[in-house]
Amino acid sequence: MYAPLLAAAESSSNIGRLRRNVMKPGWICVLVLFAVFVLALPVWSAASVSVVTFEDAGAPVRHGLDKVTCALAEKGIGVEKVGDLKSAKGGQLIVADVGGKTSAGAALLTRLKLKAPTTSEALLVRNTSWKGKKAVLLSGADERGLMYALLDTADRIGWAQDADNPLGQVRDATEKPYVSERAASMYTMNKANFESFFYDEKYWQRYLDMLARDRFNTFALLFGYENNGYFAPPYPQFFDVEGFGDIHVVGVTKERQRRNVAALKKIIRMTHERGMNFTLGIWDHIYRGGVQGSRDRATRPTPDVIWGLTGDNLEAYTIAALTKWVRMFGEIDAIQFRMHGESGLKRSEMAGFWTNIYKVMLEHAPQMRFDARAKNFPHELIDKAVDMGVNIRMCTKYWMEQMGLPFHPTHINRQNQHDRRHGYADMLRYPKRYDMHWRLWNSGTTRVLLWGDPEYARRFAESTHLYDGKGFEISDPLTTKGQDHPHDMPVFDIINPKYKYYDWEFQRQWHFFQVFGRMGYNPDTPAEVWRKEFERRYGKAAAPVEKGLHLASKILPMIVSYCYPYSHFPTTRGWAEKQRQGDLPGYAKVEGTDTQQFLSPAEAAECIIEGKDSAKRWPHESSEWFADISRAVLQQVRLAETSIGAKKNNEFICTVTDLKILAYLASYHSHRARAGMAYALFMRSGDAGALNAAIGHEERAVEAWGRIVESAGDVYNFDLRFGRRSAGLSGHWRDELVKLNEGLDKLKQQRMDFKPKGEKLTIADGLSYHILAKDSSGATVRFPQAGEISVCVSDDDRAPTVIHKYITTAKPLQPLTISAQVSDPSGVKWVRLRYRGVNQFFDYKSLDMAASGGGRYAATVPAKDIQPRWDFMYLIEVMDDCGNGKIYPDLEKEAPYIIVKLDRD
């Protein structure tokens, strides 16, 4: 269909050469090329470019070349594609090379006294010259590395302001992947939503182009996850299985199956053409209801649900169906299996079922990696897979099914401490027999509001090297759109149509994908990579919008971490962007999701009343953090609105709306944290003043939520259907406001009904809950608003300074001395070492670090506590004489613990 336009282009000199070995460009590029050539712009001027490449370039390189060609054409730059430097007629040169194997690439590498990159996916970019012409060398260790260099060059051509120097923004670079596998996954939780783009080639072109540009190297499409039987399992949606004619999906015809096969094969092909691997997820093996969805749909023929598959034929059918699947879709790179009971399997079925699946994969698809979900999967079946020679990798949830802070939790919630529901549990064993893959379930947290924080992405990528991890996976924020709603429900718009500024909703989250992909590839990616895009989108307001978004993106992970109901653990139950986290009495009982780092309201109340101190982060400290970041984000919003003036387009309006919502959400939690602590004090002490304080802070929290509703206005759909309505995963922020006001009325009624019994603690100020109590010696002490425990009259409000050289290696079964320099102007009260093996089943042990003069404190870990089966980890807690404490390292800057790899040789 491009032939007429390309034919016109070919009529101009040697420009027709660009057609060979270059993928067909998109319509925009073709139209620009047509304008360039038909209008007879000068081709071989100084601004013309020759792209020197090789004849047998694979699809990823052709994709990169296509983007470079389009970028030049959009600038009105003449371009040709040639095979050697002698044939190049352009005024400037781009030399595309893999491994120094082309004559042009080898010549420039020799001239520059450089070697071609050798690490998989690595790239090298150098500005140089050739016979008086400006030249840019793009060398990749492989075709994927070269594609990355080409795509980056295409972006930089777009940045160029000087038409005579289209390569002027190209910078020298030497890069290699920091994380080997950088995956993005998409779920299929609602039929109408998924099929609105499943068959749309234009959608996939744009989506996969984005992932490739952001340097993801794996795309995972996951079938079957709490989706009421849709794709549970996927086989009969694509084909019938010989010998099992009674097993089918109700309403799916053979024509529909053929269409599904064609669509999936096209997606796989398009993924590979952009230099990415393709992983397919088979998460459900039989539909039995329960957590999978309505049981009623499993007991009668229901449209789009499999019928005829039972416990009696499950194993035989799956063996035959999976065999046919891997033959039909042999180009798949990996299959991700859900292994536990939520896949529909009974525990009694697992051993036989998985043994046979291992055999199928070994016999018919040994080249495909077997990604196994770790949750509640018996370890003996992992050992069996390894012993059989299955190419297995274990995949686990990074931080619940939510987006916590960018490190593995120091201590997970007690409800799952001794199982494998999430985290690394007891799986980081030595001798090592399998690799781990870290899956960030961000789609439980980031669904509709814009998100992008390069520093978070950098720290997250760094943390995935634990256990010599090879990669990570993030999920598309739109994953749960339509979940638990009828599969034939009309697809809804997240943003009301009058504010729409995009073709597809995923394009709103361009920076989300960008920071995870680019920082995962190179944690030192220059900020100009995204800064130029902010400038293109927001003009004069780019700087405050960028800074505001980076700040605002810290808010949701902190909400999930500091105090989050355990019932909101699942993606299908928790939504930090929208949920108020229940009424205050329930909230006051909630723990953080890293129980080693954050003091819960109840724990804080206990410390205050019993005169204990704690180095954990107190609720008031979390409150101050949220208040500070709320003010900072709103300051950037004001700067952005001043900078943009009257030139507000829909993207700016929607972006500022999100920043305001997040800022006021932080303000809400700032007041909620204090309200929760005050209410916990009330429940512990029975003091009316504490209840008064709780009500006061809750009133302010409700006011902040009102600002959320005001900020959202009519920008968002008033029914955001992202999950079960009864769980609060549908509707709008204004619905939560109604419930907050109802809860506040109940608190006020509780205060009216409350009748104190006996002598209680004295509250000096109900709103600030300044509390008078007795310390351990019987002296009266004042507990300020912060909940500090101290008789200190100093202005010192800072925790002690810690200087410590990390210990990163040690011998197992040998004592380990750990020391640190600790100082504080008010005096150091105590220093404690907390440690354990790298096994989340373990609790931390504690040793007092003894002072040895000069501010040095040390403790020796007994040899028996450093077992060879696990690596070792530790952290340091400190407290001064004014009640200021902290945990070292600082969770704001790095993982708040040190991992010690054991030397087992």
Side-chain angles (χ1 to χ4, degrees), residues 71-124:
L72 289 167
E74 289 170 5
K75 292 286 186 182
I77 307 297
V79 58
E80 68 166 351
K81 174 179 172 289
V82 297
D84 56 67
L85 287 167
K86 293 180 181 179
S87 303
K89 298 179 180 179
Q92 299 187 11
L93 310 177
I94 295 175
V95 176
D97 171 74
V98 172
K101 296 177 182 178
T102 65
S103 60
L108 290 183
L109 286 166
T110 299
R111 182 176 179 179
L112 292 166
K113 298 181 180 180
L114 294 172
K115 293 183 179 180
T118 56
T119 303
S120 177
E121 299 184 13
L123 63 88
L124 179 146

Side-chain angles (χ1 to χ4, degrees), residues 34 468 477 555:
F34 180 77
D468 298 320
I555 293 167

Side-chain angles (χ1 to χ4, degrees), residues 368-597:
M368 290 185 194
R369 190 181 61 238
F370 190 117
D371 280 352
R373 290 284 317 288
K375 178 180 177 180
N376 295 335
F377 189 51
H379 203 87
E380 59 267 22
L381 290 177
I382 301 174
D383 286 338
K384 187 165 194 175
V386 174
D387 292 341
M388 290 175 65
V390 177
N391 181 21
I392 196 168
R393 181 177 70 173
M394 303 308 299
C395 306
T396 189
K397 301 166 187 171
Y398 183 79
W399 192 304
M400 309 195 309
E401 293 179 16
Q402 303 293 333
M403 187 182 196
L405 294 170
F407 53 83
H408 301 277
T410 323
H411 196 299
I412 65 172
N413 54 287
R414 64 185 185 282
Q415 293 92 334
N416 295 123
Q417 187 181 349
H418 299 104
D419 62 36
R420 292 178 174 178
R421 188 179 185 188
H422 69 111
Y424 52 80
D426 64 338
M427 298 192 65
L428 307 189
R429 305 176 176 198
Y430 289 91
K432 185 177 178 181
R433 306 194 73 201
Y434 46 76
D435 285 329
M436 295 293 292
H437 185 61
W438 308 103
R439 304 185 70 248
L440 182 65
W441 285 51
N442 54 275
S443 57
T445 304
T446 55
R447 304 182 196 232
V448 298
L449 301 178
L450 298 184
W451 192 95
D453 179 1
E455 179 61 10
Y456 181 104
R458 182 196 67 78
R459 289 180 58 188
F460 168 72
E462 180 181 45
S463 75
T464 64
H465 289 299
L466 182 66
Y467 202 57
D468 298 320
K470 299 297 190 294
F472 65 76
E473 180 181 318
I474 54 95
S475 57
D476 189 309
L478 297 172
T479 281
T480 63
K481 187 178 179 183
Q483 193 270 333
D484 207 54
H485 289 271
H487 283 302
D488 58 356
M489 175 188 73
V491 179
F492 67 92
D493 293 320
I494 294 174
I495 300 290
N496 282 322
K498 71 176 182 179
Y499 296 105
K500 188 175 179 180
Y501 59 90
Y502 46 81
D503 295 319
W504 289 279
E505 288 174 336
F506 73 81
Q507 293 170 308
R508 298 176 61 242
Q509 290 284 7
W510 62 272
H511 196 42
F512 168 89
F513 290 101
Q514 185 181 56
V515 296
F516 278 114
R518 292 302 296 260
M519 301 304 279
Y521 179 85
N522 178 9
D524 296 319
T525 296
E528 66 178 348
V529 168
W530 52 82
R531 194 156 289 158
K532 293 289 185 179
E533 187 66 13
F534 276 98
E535 291 171 359
R536 185 184 72 80
R537 290 171 180 266
Y538 302 104
K540 293 181 179 179
V545 169
E546 176 192 342
K547 186 173 182 180
L549 180 58
H550 290 172
L551 286 169
S553 297
K554 300 180 186 301
I555 293 167
L556 292 171
M558 186 62 77
I559 291 172
V560 168
S561 304
Y562 92 103
C563 189
Y564 198 71
Y566 177 70
S567 61
H568 290 183
F569 176 119
T571 288
T572 54
R573 294 296 182 271
W575 187 3
E577 285 178 333
K578 176 189 164 293
Q579 291 170 327
R580 71 194 190 284
Q581 315 297 9
D583 290 338
L584 184 61
Y587 173 91
K589 299 176 182 178
V590 169
E591 293 182 314
T593 55
D594 187 332
T595 60
Q596 173 60 39
Q597 296 294 330

